[in-house]
Amino acid sequence: MNETMVCAVGNVATRPVYRELAAGPSLRFRLAVTARYWNREKNSWVDGHTNFFTVWAGRQLATNTAASLNVGDPVIVRGRLKVRTETREGQQGWTSADIDAVAIGHDLARGTSAFRRSARPEPAAAGAPSLPEPDWETPAPAVEQVPVQALEPEPVPVT
């Protein structure tokens, strides 16, 4: 319930790794997020510290991300932040920041993208009837010829 949701804007730093697991598709990649700030003395933008996150995606998000992202793509990732610290005997401890992604998309402030809807899987039940696609077009209103007599008001008796 009290999860830390983050929205990170950065670049894909490593090739997305896609795997088919028993629990379903899974994908991971590293995201580089670099802070930029305006330096008044130099009168230009300057890169600050770069943070790296491991982004994890599952199910359909993993499949669509694998087909859409390449190294260097500017992306926006929204998801749950998970910070893990581990110490191994005889080794230096390390900390990992992961994002369990809920949504991933190209950053359209830095380029264009063409959306393609992914194909839906076929229904599992072979005997299930498939419903036809609804007609989403709004029909044009029918123009009806109204006689002029119908437009005149009918006299009402006054008592």
Side-chain angles (χ1 to χ4, degrees):
M1 290 301 267
N2 294 329
E3 297 164 329
T4 304
M5 297 297 287
V6 295
C7 182
V9 179
N11 292 320
V12 177
T14 62
R15 182 180 57 79
V17 177
Y18 177 83
R19 294 212 167 96
E20 285 283 344
L21 304 174
S26 178
L27 176 127
R28 70 174 163 80
F29 66 91
R30 297 282 284 167
L31 177 69
V33 179
T34 303
R36 290 180 57 90
Y37 62 93
W38 181 256
N39 186 329
R40 291 184 184 181
E41 296 162 358
K42 293 181 180 179
N43 201 26
S44 65
W45 287 98
V46 178
D47 286 342
H49 178 74
T50 300
N51 290 307
F52 287 92
F53 299 94
T54 301
V55 177
W56 294 90
R59 301 187 193 103
Q60 192 65 39
L61 180 59
T63 305
N64 292 342
T65 301
S68 301
L69 296 187
N70 295 302
V71 174
D73 285 355
V75 293
I76 300 173
V77 177
R78 183 173 185 281
R80 294 173 206 81
L81 178 65
K82 300 194 185 229
V83 179
R84 297 181 296 136
T85 303
E86 188 172 316
T87 306
R88 294 184 181 154
E89 189 176 321
Q91 295 180 354
Q92 186 176 9
W94 56 270
T95 302
S96 170
D98 297 350
I99 299 175
D100 185 13
V102 174
I104 301 171
H106 285 113
D107 183 358
L108 298 181
R110 297 191 273 164
T112 61
S113 184
F115 180 79
R116 289 183 311 273
R117 190 170 301 279
S118 59
R120 292 184 181 169
E122 292 297 321
S130 62
L131 299 173
E133 182 69 25
D135 183 16
W136 296 108
E137 297 285 325
T138 305
V143 178
E144 189 177 312
Q145 296 292 334
V146 180
V148 177
Q149 293 92 5
L151 297 176
E152 295 176 6
E154 188 176 313
V156 178
V158 179
T159 55

